[in-house]
mmCIF file of all heavy atoms in Angstrom:
data_model
loop_
_atom_site.group_PDB
_atom_site.id
_atom_site.type_symbol
_atom_site.label_atom_id
_atom_site.label_comp_id
_atom_site.label_asym_id
_atom_site.label_seq_id
_atom_site.Cartn_x
_atom_site.Cartn_y
_atom_site.Cartn_z
ATOM 1 N N THR A 144 137.763 65.150 19.867
ATOM 2 C CA THR A 144 138.801 64.151 19.629
ATOM 3 C C THR A 144 138.000 62.790 19.868
ATOM 4 O O THR A 144 137.760 62.218 18.911
ATOM 5 C CB THR A 144 140.002 64.402 20.642
ATOM 6 O OG1 THR A 144 139.445 64.506 21.960
ATOM 7 C CG2 THR A 144 140.671 65.684 20.357
ATOM 8 N N ARG A 145 138.022 62.286 21.064
ATOM 9 C CA ARG A 145 137.468 60.976 21.400
ATOM 10 C C ARG A 145 136.258 60.825 22.108
ATOM 11 O O ARG A 145 135.565 59.857 22.100
ATOM 12 C CB ARG A 145 138.615 60.197 22.057
ATOM 13 C CG ARG A 145 139.052 60.684 23.424
ATOM 14 C CD ARG A 145 140.063 59.896 24.206
ATOM 15 N NE ARG A 145 139.523 58.504 24.466
ATOM 16 C CZ ARG A 145 140.325 57.394 24.205
ATOM 17 N NH1 ARG A 145 141.489 57.533 23.661
ATOM 18 N NH2 ARG A 145 139.832 56.204 24.356
ATOM 19 N N GLN A 146 135.865 61.952 22.873
ATOM 20 C CA GLN A 146 134.682 61.776 23.672
ATOM 21 C C GLN A 146 133.328 62.011 22.749
ATOM 22 O O GLN A 146 133.373 62.728 21.894
ATOM 23 C CB GLN A 146 134.694 62.953 24.711
ATOM 24 C CG GLN A 146 135.657 62.788 25.811
ATOM 25 C CD GLN A 146 135.488 63.714 26.948
ATOM 26 O OE1 GLN A 146 134.402 64.035 27.446
ATOM 27 N NE2 GLN A 146 136.623 64.397 27.412
ATOM 28 N N PHE A 147 132.359 61.166 23.243
ATOM 29 C CA PHE A 147 131.122 61.156 22.530
ATOM 30 C C PHE A 147 129.976 61.272 23.502
ATOM 31 O O PHE A 147 130.195 61.113 24.747
ATOM 32 C CB PHE A 147 130.924 59.972 21.520
ATOM 33 C CG PHE A 147 131.097 58.678 22.554
ATOM 34 C CD1 PHE A 147 129.952 58.161 23.015
ATOM 35 C CD2 PHE A 147 132.310 57.903 22.598
ATOM 36 C CE1 PHE A 147 130.002 56.991 23.756
ATOM 37 C CE2 PHE A 147 132.371 56.853 23.291
ATOM 38 C CZ PHE A 147 131.273 56.327 24.037
ATOM 39 N N PHE A 148 128.778 61.566 23.036
ATOM 40 C CA PHE A 148 127.648 61.455 23.933
ATOM 41 C C PHE A 148 126.396 61.022 23.240
ATOM 42 O O PHE A 148 126.361 61.060 21.940
ATOM 43 C CB PHE A 148 127.319 62.962 24.615
ATOM 44 C CG PHE A 148 126.967 63.884 23.555
ATOM 45 C CD1 PHE A 148 125.602 64.155 23.247
ATOM 46 C CD2 PHE A 148 127.925 64.777 23.164
ATOM 47 C CE1 PHE A 148 125.161 65.161 22.340
ATOM 48 C CE2 PHE A 148 127.555 65.832 22.144
ATOM 49 C CZ PHE A 148 126.245 66.077 21.880
ATOM 50 N N ILE A 149 125.710 60.396 23.892
ATOM 51 C CA ILE A 149 124.364 59.828 23.410
ATOM 52 C C ILE A 149 123.125 60.655 23.852
ATOM 53 O O ILE A 149 123.037 60.714 25.100
ATOM 54 C CB ILE A 149 124.177 58.371 23.656
ATOM 55 C CG1 ILE A 149 125.396 57.485 23.177
ATOM 56 C CG2 ILE A 149 122.869 57.805 23.191
ATOM 57 C CD1 ILE A 149 125.574 56.066 23.584
ATOM 58 N N ASN A 150 122.429 61.124 23.046
ATOM 59 C CA ASN A 150 121.293 62.061 23.395
ATOM 60 C C ASN A 150 120.108 61.188 24.041
ATOM 61 O O ASN A 150 119.781 60.202 23.361
ATOM 62 C CB ASN A 150 120.756 62.670 22.097
ATOM 63 C CG ASN A 150 121.610 63.849 21.666
ATOM 64 O OD1 ASN A 150 121.839 64.805 22.383
ATOM 65 N ND2 ASN A 150 122.274 63.796 20.537
ATOM 66 N N LEU A 151 119.776 61.493 25.271
ATOM 67 C CA LEU A 151 118.691 60.917 25.877
ATOM 68 C C LEU A 151 117.288 61.509 25.570
ATOM 69 O O LEU A 151 116.260 60.981 25.940
ATOM 70 C CB LEU A 151 118.861 60.927 27.424
ATOM 71 C CG LEU A 151 120.074 60.091 27.753
ATOM 72 C CD1 LEU A 151 120.502 60.381 29.233
ATOM 73 C CD2 LEU A 151 119.672 58.535 27.804
ATOM 74 N N ALA A 152 117.287 62.659 24.767
ATOM 75 C CA ALA A 152 116.247 63.359 24.486
ATOM 76 C C ALA A 152 116.537 64.092 23.149
ATOM 77 O O ALA A 152 117.576 64.061 22.670
ATOM 78 C CB ALA A 152 115.852 64.432 25.583
ATOM 79 N N ASP A 153 115.537 64.809 22.700
ATOM 80 C CA ASP A 153 115.696 65.614 21.477
ATOM 81 C C ASP A 153 116.323 66.827 21.815
ATOM 82 O O ASP A 153 115.614 67.648 22.559
ATOM 83 C CB ASP A 153 114.291 65.953 20.660
ATOM 84 C CG ASP A 153 113.737 64.727 20.049
ATOM 85 O OD1 ASP A 153 114.542 63.653 19.862
ATOM 86 O OD2 ASP A 153 112.578 64.664 19.713
ATOM 87 N N ASN A 154 117.656 67.170 21.678
ATOM 88 C CA ASN A 154 118.238 68.218 22.083
ATOM 89 C C ASN A 154 118.599 69.074 20.929
ATOM 90 O O ASN A 154 119.723 69.329 20.513
ATOM 91 C CB ASN A 154 119.675 67.765 22.712
ATOM 92 C CG ASN A 154 119.450 66.935 23.958
ATOM 93 O OD1 ASN A 154 118.625 67.440 24.753
ATOM 94 N ND2 ASN A 154 120.052 65.792 24.234
ATOM 95 N N GLN A 155 117.498 69.697 20.473
ATOM 96 C CA GLN A 155 117.638 70.530 19.353
ATOM 97 C C GLN A 155 118.629 71.642 19.486
ATOM 98 O O GLN A 155 119.138 72.256 18.511
ATOM 99 C CB GLN A 155 116.209 70.917 18.748
ATOM 100 C CG GLN A 155 115.341 69.751 18.428
ATOM 101 C CD GLN A 155 115.821 68.701 17.485
ATOM 102 O OE1 GLN A 155 116.393 69.178 16.480
ATOM 103 N NE2 GLN A 155 115.811 67.465 17.856
ATOM 104 N N PHE A 156 118.816 72.094 20.682
ATOM 105 C CA PHE A 156 119.533 73.331 20.985
ATOM 106 C C PHE A 156 121.111 73.072 20.598
ATOM 107 O O PHE A 156 121.914 73.990 20.668
ATOM 108 C CB PHE A 156 119.410 73.785 22.369
ATOM 109 C CG PHE A 156 119.813 72.873 23.435
ATOM 110 C CD1 PHE A 156 121.167 73.040 23.928
ATOM 111 C CD2 PHE A 156 118.885 71.889 23.888
ATOM 112 C CE1 PHE A 156 121.530 72.168 24.940
ATOM 113 C CE2 PHE A 156 119.404 71.010 24.884
ATOM 114 C CZ PHE A 156 120.772 71.112 25.438
ATOM 115 N N LEU A 157 121.457 71.704 20.465
ATOM 116 C CA LEU A 157 122.769 71.321 20.168
ATOM 117 C C LEU A 157 123.002 71.411 18.658
ATOM 118 O O LEU A 157 124.135 71.123 18.214
ATOM 119 C CB LEU A 157 123.098 69.976 20.717
ATOM 120 C CG LEU A 157 123.031 69.887 22.203
ATOM 121 C CD1 LEU A 157 123.346 68.477 22.557
ATOM 122 C CD2 LEU A 157 123.984 70.758 22.911
ATOM 123 N N ASN A 158 121.921 71.479 17.740
ATOM 124 C CA ASN A 158 122.088 71.591 16.474
ATOM 125 C C ASN A 158 122.671 72.918 15.815
ATOM 126 O O ASN A 158 122.557 73.896 16.607
ATOM 127 C CB ASN A 158 120.843 71.383 15.771
ATOM 128 C CG ASN A 158 120.254 69.903 15.994
ATOM 129 O OD1 ASN A 158 121.067 69.019 16.149
ATOM 130 N ND2 ASN A 158 118.970 69.812 16.082
ATOM 131 N N PRO A 159 123.337 72.920 14.787
ATOM 132 C CA PRO A 159 123.877 74.167 14.282
ATOM 133 C C PRO A 159 122.680 75.081 13.850
ATOM 134 O O PRO A 159 121.616 74.797 13.462
ATOM 135 C CB PRO A 159 124.645 73.740 12.982
ATOM 136 C CG PRO A 159 124.117 72.359 12.510
ATOM 137 C CD PRO A 159 123.645 71.776 13.863
ATOM 138 N N THR A 160 123.052 76.347 14.007
ATOM 139 C CA THR A 160 122.061 77.452 13.565
ATOM 140 C C THR A 160 122.909 78.387 12.737
ATOM 141 O O THR A 160 124.151 78.297 12.692
ATOM 142 C CB THR A 160 121.425 78.150 14.718
ATOM 143 O OG1 THR A 160 122.455 78.879 15.664
ATOM 144 C CG2 THR A 160 120.781 77.135 15.614
ATOM 145 N N GLN A 161 122.337 79.624 12.424
ATOM 146 C CA GLN A 161 123.171 80.649 11.904
ATOM 147 C C GLN A 161 124.222 81.228 12.663
ATOM 148 O O GLN A 161 125.089 81.645 12.280
ATOM 149 C CB GLN A 161 122.150 81.662 11.297
ATOM 150 C CG GLN A 161 122.632 82.895 10.651
ATOM 151 C CD GLN A 161 121.697 83.936 10.213
ATOM 152 O OE1 GLN A 161 120.518 83.716 10.401
ATOM 153 N NE2 GLN A 161 122.131 84.969 9.617
ATOM 154 N N HIS A 162 124.015 81.152 14.050
ATOM 155 C CA HIS A 162 124.738 81.701 15.075
ATOM 156 C C HIS A 162 125.746 80.833 15.858
ATOM 157 O O HIS A 162 126.461 81.165 16.579
ATOM 158 C CB HIS A 162 123.975 82.676 16.001
ATOM 159 C CG HIS A 162 123.233 83.688 15.159
ATOM 160 N ND1 HIS A 162 123.797 84.663 14.588
ATOM 161 C CD2 HIS A 162 121.963 83.840 14.977
ATOM 162 C CE1 HIS A 162 122.915 85.433 14.019
ATOM 163 N NE2 HIS A 162 121.668 84.837 14.293
#
Side-chain angles (χ1 to χ4, degrees):
T144 56
R145 65 178 298 130
Q146 289 187 45
F147 59 87
F148 63 91
I149 299 169
N150 286 292
L151 290 163
D153 290 342
N154 293 315
Q155 301 309 315
F156 68 96
L157 298 177
N158 294 330
T160 66
Q161 183 178 354
H162 303 292

